[in-house]
Amino acid sequence: MSEKKPTVVLVHGAFADSSSWNGVVEKLQAHEYPVVAASNPLRTLSGDAEYVRQLVTSIEGPVVLVGHSYGGSVISNAAKGLGNVKALVFVAAFLPDEGESAVTLSGKFPGSTLGEALRPVPVTLPDGGRVADLYIDKVKFHQQFAADVAEETTAVMAATQRPVTDAALGEGASAPAWRDIPSWVLVALEDKNIPAQAQTFMAERANATAVSVSASHAVSVSRPGDVARLINEAAQAAR
């Protein structure tokens, strides 16, 4: 009897939803991986991480936890101390150290044009607090987020994008799981949200196994095969 494969839990980032993983899910399922594409709340880093943490603890057996973009910050916080998480995979993602935020890391090196593409929408929280929901302007979405994806596809992605709060992107991370759990990083070389130089810096700091792909920030959409291959590599190595 062959050994049961780990469950792959995919966590999307800001300006996306679970469907951004569809191509990756298809390829992983073709290789008989159990897959869960989580719905990331995108409200606060600590709250989002706790949400994912509870999802992961509900899964029997080993887990490979994968995060895209801001989802990298989420999985690094969520996996801390979880014994069933055997590998972390960061896809064009943040790998924050304790106290670092997505905002500080994206500005650490030149190249991000995200700030000028954002459209803030003020919202009132149930407790009366005020935050801004951040969207990428639909006119700028294709070039900013997914320049290597067909425009008819990015038009749908722009219309269905999930906003992230400014509070989530500005919140400092807790102690990172990548210090304790083997990690893999896919660097998107044409990323306009998180500069490739920043991705490489974070990968080297985490002593992660890294691969580079000529792709936009939406690499899970434009290059699902490359993403699935790296996840498979992490799953095989972590057994």
Side-chain angles (χ1 to χ4, degrees):
M1 182 181 294
S2 61
E3 185 181 356
K4 184 178 181 291
K5 290 189 174 181
T7 299
V8 178
V9 177
L10 305 166
V11 180
H12 67 81
F15 322 114
D17 63 15
S18 298
S19 70
S20 62
W21 295 111
N22 284 358
V24 177
V25 171
E26 290 171 3
K27 293 183 181 300
L28 291 173
Q29 289 181 335
H31 288 86
E32 301 183 336
Y33 279 100
V35 185
V36 177
S39 183
N40 187 356
L42 305 177
R43 300 293 85 190
T44 65
L45 177 55
S46 52
D48 297 344
E50 182 57 28
Y51 179 89
V52 170
R53 182 182 182 86
Q54 292 184 41
L55 172 62
V56 171
T57 57
S58 75
I59 296 171
E60 274 191 42
V63 167
V64 175
L65 190 51
V66 185
H68 172 245
S69 189
Y70 163 77
S73 298
V74 174
I75 68 167
S76 183
N77 280 201
K80 184 68 175 177
L82 291 185
N84 65 328
V85 177
K86 303 303 181 183
L88 298 172
V89 182
F90 297 86
V91 179
F94 293 109
L95 289 77
D97 205 344
E98 188 166 6
E100 291 179 335
S101 71
V103 170
T104 58
L105 284 168
S106 62
K108 190 174 182 69
F109 298 94
S112 176
T113 54
L114 177 61
E116 60 205 62
L118 291 176
R119 183 175 67 87
V121 177
V123 293
T124 303
L125 302 175
D127 64 4
R130 298 277 290 175
V131 296
D133 263 349
L134 302 177
Y135 295 82
I136 295 178
D137 188 306
K138 289 181 182 179
V139 174
K140 299 178 179 179
F141 191 94
H142 174 73
Q143 285 301 322
Q144 179 61 43
F145 196 83
D148 56 350
V149 177
E151 289 197 37
E152 56 268 28
T153 300
T154 60
V156 175
M157 292 168 63
T160 60
Q161 66 177 293
R162 293 267 311 282
V164 66
T165 67
D166 55 352
L169 296 184
E171 183 179 341
S174 59
W178 50 258
R179 290 200 180 280
D180 310 308
I181 300 173
S183 298
W184 282 256
V185 171
L186 187 148
V187 176
L189 293 174
E190 297 163 23
D191 197 325
K192 295 181 180 178
N193 278 24
I194 309 172
Q197 189 177 1
Q199 295 177 42
T200 300
F201 161 76
M202 291 183 282
E204 291 175 348
R205 181 176 65 177
N207 197 29
T209 300
V211 299
S212 297
V213 176
S214 293
S216 71
H217 190 62
V219 62
S220 64
V221 179
S222 65
R223 303 287 288 269
D226 291 302
V227 175
R229 275 190 290 275
L230 187 62
I231 293 170
N232 179 63
E233 179 184 324
Q236 295 288 338
R239 285 188 176 184

